[in-house]
Structure formats: structure tokens, C-alpha cells
Amino acid sequence: MLTLYHAPRSRSFRILWLLEELGVPYDTEMVSIRGNDSAGHMPADYIDIHPHRKVPALVHDGVPVFETPAIALYLTDLFPDKGLGPQVGDADRGPYLTWLSYSTGVFEPAMVERAFKRPHQEGAPGWGSADEVEQVLTRVLQARPFFLGSRFSAVDIVLGGTLQYMMQVKVVPESPVFSAYVERLGNRPAMHRALQRDGDIEEG
């Protein structure tokens, strides 16, 4: 059994969306990460599932997995027939792992620097400046509809979903390339199911 530990309107939405894309049975356990969420609580033993008491976390048959790229890789390897993650031996496997790692290892840190107006120190951290990261993503997405070419994958949920959010909060400015990409993501029925479920959870 799969159980997603989730908080409404949080970074765990991406895994909620991925589960809807996979179309597999799963349960959700609501976790309060803000201290005032009426829809969830913080179990006393949650530290055994996520050591930093954050979301998302996934438990599969009693085994916890945390960190969004790790969960995405775990799920797409668990359900290879769904086609959302290239498997070992596929020519797209390397790019798939690269962009999953890029999401939280490069893109998010660069955007956090920009959001909090922290000047980037060239060569100091393990990522480029926000402007450089934007240029990288623009170059990729102006040449193809999705990160793996014509093939929609979990990367478009993990990295694409983060890009979408950063545009909503004005950390990443709109551009024709990014807007067209986000529009393609918005046409995914599974995203709308996940948004509906996220809203229902918050209300309930």
C-alpha cells in the first residue's frame, strides 16, 4: 500500500499530481507543517518517516521514502508500465535522472537566492545564478515540448511543477517559452484531479 504524507498547498502537491498521473491506488495522511492546518496534524512518530518533519513523504508497505526527486524516481520505477520514467537501458534514463536532481539541487536553490535577494557568489555553492538557470531552462524548453523531448515524464511534474509555482509567485518572470510550457502542463487531466483533491483535503 502507498501512503502519501501531504499538506495542502505545499511542495508535496507534485507527488499528489504524480500519483494521479500514475493512476494507482494510494492513501493520503494529512500533516500539519504550518502549525495551524485544520486538515492535518503532526504525528509524534513522524520524525521516523521524515527526519525534518516536512512533506512530502511516501510510505510503501512500511518503508518510508522522502525528498521529492527520490519519491518520483521510486514511484516511476515501481510502476514502469505507466511510462512516466525511463527505465535502466533507456537512452532517456540519464537525462531523466539529471533533470530530477536539477530540480532541487540547482533550480530551487537559485530561485530561493533570488526570492530572498541574496547575491549569488560565483563558484561558491553548487549551483548557478538564477539568471543562468533561467537561460538553461529556456534553451531546453524552446527546443522541445517537455524536458525529455516529446515524452512527458515525472520530470515535468517535479521540475515543471516547481517552475509553474515560481512563475505564480513572480520569482520567475513570464516568457513565451515558459508560458507555453506551463500551458501544456495545465492541459493534463491528472493535474486538475490533483488540484481538486488538494482543494477537497484543505476544505475537509
Side-chain angles (χ1 to χ4, degrees), residues 51-158:
H52 299 292
R53 301 178 185 268
K54 296 183 181 295
V55 293
L58 183 80
V59 173
H60 179 217
D61 292 341
V63 178
V65 186
F66 61 94
E67 294 300 321
T68 299
I71 297 172
L73 180 60
Y74 184 88
L75 286 172
T76 55
D77 281 357
L78 186 63
F79 301 104
D81 58 308
K82 303 298 183 178
L84 288 175
Q87 301 299 293
V88 174
D90 189 313
D92 282 336
R93 179 72 172 189
Y96 177 62
L97 299 178
T98 296
W99 289 118
L100 280 179
S101 300
Y102 193 89
S103 175
T104 53
V106 179
F107 180 70
E108 289 186 20
M111 295 306 139
V112 167
E113 276 190 339
R114 174 183 281 174
F116 288 94
K117 297 180 172 55
R118 296 172 182 164
H120 178 74
Q121 301 299 317
E122 191 66 35
W127 59 86
S129 68
D131 289 347
E132 183 182 4
V133 169
E134 266 187 41
Q135 291 167 13
V136 169
L137 298 192
T138 298
R139 188 166 60 249
V140 171
L141 293 174
Q142 70 185 1
R144 61 193 74 166
F146 301 108
F147 278 95
L148 299 186
S150 60
R151 181 181 192 173
F152 176 85
S153 73
V155 167
D156 298 294
I157 297 172
V158 175

